[in-house]
């Protein structure tokens, strides 16, 4: 185990290039070791950070693509320079194993570098040009040029389950910076030390690249007032969020209620259903059940793509799938969860299913404190469709098997699901027709459709979509992972008969 004492958080905010202490503090609650006193953000802190971001936008928003790309690369390099310290403090605060945090750090720096490469190519600008047609009849056409432009300062909320990849320098921050938008991060109180050291890396990159200090700020805290002030500040132009449905919906409503509403890009949760078709169940039901159990319990089930529901036909093949999953799950011991609150919410979700009619417990475990063990339940399609609560996400290693009479009822059940991040089909060649019937339903329900795989693990790539219809996310046309994520923080601008001397550099000389 690395020694976390080689990095001692000072508990300050980073606001416009200065580390600022607050008069009010809260105590962090790590999974092991002593907590730290962390400054609690205020509305004044928010106002200073956002105004600095707006000032920085006048420079950063109009900087060259190469300058912004070099900045992203520098952030990645500065994070890697602090690799051991980040792993140590991250493991201490979150309870995640060091190997997981090392992998997540690689993903974090990898997506920064991917965005740098992507914006250097310039294709994301979607440049279009309709040359003037002065002799066109009955009316001439003006010269029209279109390009995507950054929108301005962006607020980002750190996520509890990914201290690195979805937090201080995670996908929302990286994509906003790539677009040309300064960022103000609301740090997650579950891992303030991790957020602080990553902010130090960004601060070092700012100085190294000669960027305006207002291009990035981090404000810590465990309250609601300053978070509300951040999303309602008139200079904030968009919000990126990963978290619970309740918190996300409250912030979404605040964004919509502003005098000038702004987009809220929230990733709010999903049960990520898997559909095991009959021939696949017959040929390898037990194997699929084993794989599902592994995916369900990975990282104590604390992934937004955790496949919480498996749909399978009644009969011997479906029973083999269930038996295999139950056997594997029964051998998985308690795992430490990210926070006490998440562990408490997990037990509440389990208790909610225990009290449901026509829901059969297949594997039950009792836990206390910050630990969670697997739980498994079964029901039928009619019960699921009649009871909305069965489709609510339980964040943790809990699985629900929904048994159906055949492909037709499976398709009807699929149509009854709410929006999802992912939907998975397990099939063999003999299931092609049934799968073909499912596909039009699933592509309307999910942002990513998989075949013969498990959704945990989101590839950072050009083609990835991590989002989906509500309540999976609040904007079905966006993704929070992959290079398309940059488009959330851009807007198209058309320039009509504008002299080349006044055009953005990328639009000139077309």
């Amino acid at each position: 185990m690395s020694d976390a004492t080689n990095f001692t958080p000072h508990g300050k905010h980073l606001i416009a290039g200065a580390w600022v202490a607050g008069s009010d503090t809260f105590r962090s609650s790590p999974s092991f070791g002593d907590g730290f006193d962390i400054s609690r953000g205020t509305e004044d802190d928010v106002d200073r950070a956002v105004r600095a971001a707006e000032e920085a936008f006048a420079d950063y928003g109009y900087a060259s693509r190469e300058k912004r790309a070099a900045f992203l690369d520098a952030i990645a390099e500065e994070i890697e320079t602090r690799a051991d310290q980040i792993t140590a403090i991250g493991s201490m605060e979150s309870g995640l194993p060091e190997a997981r945090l090392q992998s997540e750090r690689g993903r974090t720096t990898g997506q920064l570098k991917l965005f740098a490469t992507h914006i250097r190519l310039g294709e994301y600008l979607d440049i279009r040009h309709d040359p003037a047609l002065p002799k066109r009849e009955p009316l001439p056409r003006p010269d029209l040029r279109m390009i995507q432009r950054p929108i301005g300062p962006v607020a980002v909320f750190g996520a509890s389950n990914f201290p690195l990849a979805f937090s201080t320098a995670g996908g929302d921050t990286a994509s906003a910076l790539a677009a040309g938008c300064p960022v103000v991060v609301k740090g997650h109180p579950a891992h303030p030390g991790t957020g602080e050291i990553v902010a130090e890396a960004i601060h070092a990159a700012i100085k190294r690249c000669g960027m305006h200090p207002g291009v990035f700020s981090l404000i810590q805290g465990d309250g609601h007032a300053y978070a509300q002030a951040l999303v309602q500040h008139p200079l904030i132009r968009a919000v990126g969020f990963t978290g619970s449905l309740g918190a996300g919906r409250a912030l979404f409503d605040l964004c919509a209620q502003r005098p000038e509403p702004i987009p809220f890009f929230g990733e709010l949760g999903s049960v990520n259903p898997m559909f095991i078709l009959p021939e696949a169940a017959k040929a390898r039901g037990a194997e699929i059940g084993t794989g599902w159990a592994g995916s369900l319990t990975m990282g104590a089930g604390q992934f937004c793509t955790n496949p919480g529901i498996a749909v399978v036909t009644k009969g011997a093949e479906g029973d083999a799938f269930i038996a295999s999953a139950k056997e594997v799950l029964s051998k998985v011991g308690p795992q430490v969860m990210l926070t006490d609150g998440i562990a408490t919410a997990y037990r509440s979700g389990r208790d909610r299913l225990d009290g449901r009619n026509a829901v059969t417990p297949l594997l039950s475990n009792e836990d206390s404190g910050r630990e969670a063990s697997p739980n498994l339940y079964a029901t039928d399609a009619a019960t699921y469709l009649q009871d909305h609560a069965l489709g609510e996400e339980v964040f943790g290693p809990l699985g629900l098997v929904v048994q159906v009479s055949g492909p037709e009822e499976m398709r009807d059940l699929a149509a009854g699901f709410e929006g999802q991040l992912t939907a998975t089909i397990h099939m063999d060649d003999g299931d092609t027709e049934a799968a073909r019937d499912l596909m039009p339903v699933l592509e309307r329900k999910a942002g990513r459709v998989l075949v013969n795989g498990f959704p945990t693990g989101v590839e950072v790539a050009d083609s990835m979509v991590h989002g989906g219809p509500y309540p999976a996310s609040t904007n079905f046309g966006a993704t929070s992972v992959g290079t398309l994520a940059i488009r959330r923080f851009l807007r198209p601008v058309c320039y009509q008969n504008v002299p080349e001397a006044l055009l953005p550099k990328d639009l000139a000389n077309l």
Side-chain angles (χ1 to χ4, degrees):
M1 178 72 69
S2 298
D3 183 6
T5 60
N6 62 3
F7 172 72
T8 302
H10 49 64
K12 299 177 181 179
H13 315 298
L14 176 63
I15 299 177
W19 291 102
V20 180
S23 58
D24 189 19
T25 64
F26 70 98
R27 191 76 174 173
S28 67
S29 181
S31 66
F32 63 87
D34 297 329
F36 304 96
D37 289 326
I38 307 295
S39 294
R40 185 175 278 127
T42 67
E43 294 182 30
D44 286 342
D45 294 327
V46 168
D47 186 61
R48 279 185 291 145
V50 176
R51 290 188 182 280
E54 176 68 17
E55 183 179 307
F57 182 61
D59 174 61
Y60 188 73
Y62 299 89
S64 68
R65 290 184 282 113
E66 177 55 40
K67 185 174 181 178
R68 294 203 304 270
F71 178 44
L72 295 173
D73 283 336
I75 295 173
E77 291 165 6
E78 293 291 345
I79 288 173
E80 289 297 344
T81 297
R82 297 159 176 77
D84 291 342
Q85 292 176 313
I86 289 172
T87 298
I89 189 68
S91 180
M92 175 183 171
E93 290 187 319
S94 67
L96 295 171
E98 291 193 350
R100 153 71 192 273
L101 284 163
Q102 289 164 355
S103 175
E104 189 180 332
R105 188 188 71 250
R107 170 177 171 166
T108 304
T109 57
Q111 64 191 4
L112 284 161
K113 294 175 183 177
L114 175 66
F115 287 143
T117 298
H118 188 70
I119 63 174
R120 281 187 174 105
L121 295 174
E123 295 173 356
Y124 76 101
L125 296 171
D126 193 18
I127 292 173
R128 305 182 185 198
H129 182 205
D130 292 298
L133 298 175
K135 297 181 180 180
R136 190 184 67 174
E137 296 292 344
L139 294 173
R141 184 177 75 186
D143 183 84
L144 301 171
R145 307 183 191 211
M146 189 273 282
I147 193 172
Q148 301 289 334
R149 301 297 288 158
I151 59 174
V154 170
V156 170
F157 283 67
S160 64
N161 60 332
F162 282 90
L164 301 174
F166 280 87
S167 290
T168 308
D172 286 343
T173 296
S175 56
L177 291 175
C181 300
V183 172
V184 178
V185 171
K186 185 246 180 231
H188 199 284
H191 43 76
T194 310
E196 182 182 303
I197 192 170
V198 173
E200 285 190 354
I202 300 174
H203 183 45
I206 288 172
K207 293 190 289 186
R208 175 175 151 188
C209 296
M211 293 297 179
H212 188 292
V215 75
F216 173 86
S217 292
L218 168 70
I219 304 176
Q220 306 273 27
D222 62 347
H224 300 296
Y226 88 105
Q228 179 175 333
L230 181 57
V231 301
Q232 292 190 309
H233 196 289
L235 296 178
I236 288 293
R237 311 314 302 159
V239 177
F241 172 88
T242 298
S244 69
L245 175 60
R249 184 56 199 248
L251 294 172
F252 174 80
D253 290 343
L254 287 174
C255 289
Q257 292 162 8
R258 289 171 38 134
E260 182 184 359
I262 59 173
F264 177 83
F265 299 104
E267 191 265 281
L268 308 182
S270 181
V271 295
N272 304 295
M274 297 195 328
F275 299 84
I276 298 94
L277 299 184
E279 294 301 318
K282 185 185 300 182
R284 47 194 174 87
E287 176 187 339
I288 298 171
T290 297
W292 180 48
S295 182
L296 193 66
T297 56
M298 183 186 300
Q302 298 170 114
F303 290 90
C304 45
T305 52
N306 190 35
I309 292 181
V311 182
V312 66
T313 52
K314 299 174 183 177
E317 291 81 10
D319 291 343
F321 165 83
I322 295 170
S324 176
K326 179 180 177 181
E327 180 182 2
V328 175
L329 292 172
S330 67
K331 298 175 182 178
V332 177
Q335 299 180 70
V336 177
M337 302 202 85
L338 291 158
T339 69
D340 294 324
I342 290 175
T344 298
Y346 174 69
R347 289 192 286 274
S348 296
R350 178 202 62 200
D351 294 344
R352 186 178 73 241
L353 288 180
D354 279 334
R356 284 292 190 277
N357 293 326
V359 176
T360 304
L362 301 177
L363 176 67
S364 298
N365 282 296
E366 293 288 338
D367 294 293
S368 60
R370 200 158 161 172
E371 293 186 330
S373 298
N375 290 272
L376 183 64
Y377 298 85
T379 190
D380 57 41
T383 299
Y384 182 90
L385 291 172
Q386 292 169 7
D387 190 345
H388 180 269
L390 295 180
E392 296 177 4
E393 180 186 30
V394 179
F395 196 61
L398 183 147
L400 174 65
V401 178
V402 182
Q403 295 176 290
V404 297
S405 58
E408 184 175 343
E409 189 173 35
M410 186 177 286
R411 189 183 189 283
D412 292 342
L413 177 66
F417 276 96
E418 294 184 317
Q420 305 292 328
L421 294 172
T422 74
T424 302
I425 297 173
H426 287 275
M427 60 174 287
D428 279 1
D429 289 343
D431 294 312
T432 299
E433 286 302 317
R436 186 177 287 119
D437 287 341
L438 267 179
M439 284 297 292
V441 179
L442 298 186
E443 69 178 22
R444 293 185 66 187
K445 296 291 181 179
R448 177 164 55 114
V449 180
L450 301 80
V451 172
N452 293 337
F454 298 95
T456 40
V458 182
E459 188 71 27
V460 180
D462 290 328
S463 303
M464 178 52 62
V465 173
H466 189 61
Y470 186 85
S473 59
T474 55
N475 190 311
F476 61 81
T479 176
S480 61
V481 178
T483 53
L484 189 62
I486 299 172
R487 290 292 296 272
R488 297 175 297 170
F489 308 118
L490 299 167
R491 66 181 183 88
V493 177
C494 176
Y495 298 82
Q496 180 171 326
N497 288 340
V498 174
E500 289 201 351
L502 301 181
L503 288 171
K505 184 177 179 181
D506 287 306
L507 271 186
N509 301 315
L510 292 179

